[in-house]
């Protein structure tokens, strides 16, 4: 039983990593990974929404008519996103500004609706919460890995602290859109190579 | 849906409405709880940027007409350039130090909201950015003093043309133009009304 | 003039896929063959334009008068979901041929972040109804253009020799990166 719960939690980290393996929810990942701070903030926002949505839907899963499930899921996710918007505006306005439109867009993040449809709407509460936490952690690992590379190369800093002298000219391209695509491409390639070495099967399209 | 479709649809409709009502209720509760805090934050951020323009000012008051209505409230000066409001900055003796203009201009990635001070001698005191959504690393550098400092003590009758008397941010001409143009156009508009504003004093 | 600027910006210099990172799921998931990418492009164009108009009306005629602007996120996503559902029912009954082409993409569109993004940006940028239509139309054309570009590259990539672990997704991202560089060269177009 314990083993099973652990499995639910850890599968999101690597084997079913939502970003690197399933390639879902890429919009927010690529857009906010310009700096590590933003990446952490986005992960926090994402965790808030997915855990609470999975929790709520798992609680009421027996009262959701099958034909209405998608609209109900959307209403619940959108409510939590709006609550998150209020909380950010009230307590973390700076983070709210730097993430901008990608906060309301959590509503249409395919990871969340995917996890709810395939997991939370069928499983008990504890498992659903663990699933949400695991997926969020996997999402966080991916987005931070991309952000670290982009911030070091593109702004010459990490967490806002300048790493090199003032004469250093950062490669601007990495904080611009092309850099985002390049970094995630190379990182998935590297992950594939790594997985192959350890003889694990990687699902890639 | 086989037995009685109308009844089924009504039932589903009622269930969906219940969910929506519960959601709306939850939202309005959170909204009313967080609203004062949100307004406080917005007021603070405007105040903070006004303070950064005139650190010595002790109070900022909205410029009003004889009926106590706000004189300049969301006036579109030109397509994309908006004067949000005009404040007077007073020192502790309540004598006028200058005017603070809160305005916005359409930049590259969205609206750039900013404040700047106009001194009585018709120079710009300083510019401060409240909010912007420009490209990180490029246009988003608009808030840096390396760019904004060139507006300090600049005469409002200057031409304000990017690449002539305003040095743009590297590789972000559009953002630089948006802010420069936003200042110039709003100043020009206010200058026409500046006379009556000073007369009131 | 402003309207033409909006069109040029949304198609090229601020392309939703390459510059704003919106609508990436179908961009990576559905660009394997030309037919489905054009079908998706058509479906997205139709839904984006209509949903933008409807959400614009919802915002200015319902949310603002009632003073509940904070319900923006939830009402827009519900609007899009309901709208997609209606389009699906309508097409199935009235134009079955078109439904055959577009039908399978419709459910996927609800969670396409570009459509939600366009409806939110319309409000954020303070557009008029006419500008909204142009913005929505331009962004969908930009989306379709990106889909077609990517599909043509992927068809050619299929037969090329690649390092084993770059096959599949990684090389597609890297190709997208190079197209994005080309699109960056168009920056400044349309003011």
């Amino acid at each position: 039983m314990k083993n099973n719960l652990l499995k639910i939690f850890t599968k999101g980290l690597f084997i079913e990593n939502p970003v690197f393996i399933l390639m879902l929810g890429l919009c927010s990942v690529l857009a906010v990974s310009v700096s590590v701070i933003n990446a952490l903030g986005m992960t926090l926002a994402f965790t808030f929404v997915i855990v609470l949505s999975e929790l709520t839907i798992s609680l009421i899963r027996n009262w959701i008519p099958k034909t209405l499930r998608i609209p109900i899921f959307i209403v619940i996710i959108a409510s939590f996103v709006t609550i998150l918007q209020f909380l950010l505006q009230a307590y973390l306005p700076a983070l709210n500004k730097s993430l901008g439109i990608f906060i309301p867009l959590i509503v249409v993040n395919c990871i969340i609706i995917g996890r709810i449809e395939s997991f939370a709407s069928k499983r008990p509460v504890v498992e659903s919460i663990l699933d949400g936490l695991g997926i969020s952690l996997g999402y966080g690992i991916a987005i931070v890995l991309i952000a670290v590379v982009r911030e070091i190369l593109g702004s010459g800093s990490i967490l806002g602290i300048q790493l090199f002298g003032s004469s250093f000219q950062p490669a601007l391209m990495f904080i611009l859109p092309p850099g985002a695509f390049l970094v995630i491409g190379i990182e998935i390639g590297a992950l594939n190579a790594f997985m192959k070495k350890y003889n694990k099967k990687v699902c890639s399209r | 849906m086989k037995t009685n479709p109308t009844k089924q649809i009504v039932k589903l409709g009622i269930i969906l409405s219940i969910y929506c009502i519960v959601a709306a209720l939850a939202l309005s509760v959170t909204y009313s709880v967080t609203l004062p805090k949100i307004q406080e934050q917005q007021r603070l951020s405007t105040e903070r940027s006004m303070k950064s323009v005139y650190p010595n000012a002790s109070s900022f008051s909205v410029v009003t007409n004889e009926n106590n209505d706000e004189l300049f409230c969301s006036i579109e000066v030109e397509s994309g350039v908006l004067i949000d409001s005009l404040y007077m900055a007073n020192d502790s003796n309540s004598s006028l130090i200058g005017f603070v203009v809160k305005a916005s201009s359409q930049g590259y990635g969205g609206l750039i909201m900013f404040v700047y001070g106009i001194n009585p001698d018709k120079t710009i005191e300083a510019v401060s950015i409240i909010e912007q959504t420009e490209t990180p690393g490029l246009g988003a550098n608009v808030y840096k003093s390396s760019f904004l400092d060139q507006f300090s003590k600049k005469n409002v009758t200057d031409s304000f043309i990017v690449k002539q008397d305003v040095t743009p941010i590297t590789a972000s001409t559009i953002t630089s133009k948006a802010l420069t143009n936003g200042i110039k156009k709003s100043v020009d508009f206010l200058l026409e009304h500046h006379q009556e504003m000073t007369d009131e004093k | 003039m402003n309207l033409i600027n909006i069109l040029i910006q949304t198609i090229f210099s601020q392309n939703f896929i390459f510059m704003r990172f919106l609508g990436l799921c179908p961009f990576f998931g559905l660009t394997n063959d030309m037919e489905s990418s054009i079908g998706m492009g058509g479906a997205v164009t139709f839904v984006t334009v209509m949903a933008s108009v409807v959400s614009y009306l919802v915002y200015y005629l319902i949310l603002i008068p009632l003073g509940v602007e904070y319900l923006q996120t939830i009402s827009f996503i519900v609007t899009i979901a309901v709208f997609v559902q209606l389009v699906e029912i309508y097409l199935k009954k009235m134009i079955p041929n078109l439904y055959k082409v577009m039908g399978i993409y419709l459910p996927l569109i609800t969670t396409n972040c570009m459509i939600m993004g366009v409806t939110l940006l319309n409000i954020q940028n303070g557009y008029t109804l006419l500008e909204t239509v142009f913005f929505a139309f331009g962004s969908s054309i930009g989306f379709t253009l990106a889909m077609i570009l990517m599909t043509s590259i992927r068809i050619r990539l299929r037969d090329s020799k690649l390092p084993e672990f770059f096959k599949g997704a990684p090389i597609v991202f890297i190709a997208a990166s190079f197209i994005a560089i080309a699109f960056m060269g168009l920056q400044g177009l349309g003011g």
Side-chain angles (χ1 to χ4, degrees), chain A residues 5 25 31 48 74 83-84 93 102 105 108 126 146 155 168 180 192-193:
Chain A
L5 288 181
F48 178 88
I74 288 176
I83 291 174
L84 173 75
F102 287 94
L105 284 181
V108 284
V126 181
I146 298 170
S155 333
F168 175 77
N192 280 356

Side-chain angles (χ1 to χ4, degrees), chain B residues 136-198:
Chain B
L138 289 175
N141 287 333
V142 67
Y143 72 89
K144 288 197 172 163
S145 54
S146 52
F147 176 67
L148 293 179
D149 281 354
Q150 61 183 320
F151 293 107
S152 295
K153 301 287 172 255
K154 196 169 170 58
N155 203 310
V156 294
T157 50
D158 283 359
S159 56
F160 282 82
I161 293 174
V162 171
K163 286 178 182 164
Q164 287 181 18
D165 60 337
V166 173
T167 318
I169 311 158
T170 321
S172 313
T173 322
I174 297 174
T175 308
S176 316
K177 270 186 185 160
L179 184 67
T180 313
N181 193 41
I183 296 174
K184 179 64 176 169
K185 289 284 148 49
S186 51
V187 158
D188 281 352
F189 182 85
L190 288 171
L191 273 188
E192 286 175 34
H193 305 71
H194 195 84
Q195 200 53 51
E196 55 179 279
M197 275 156 34
T198 35

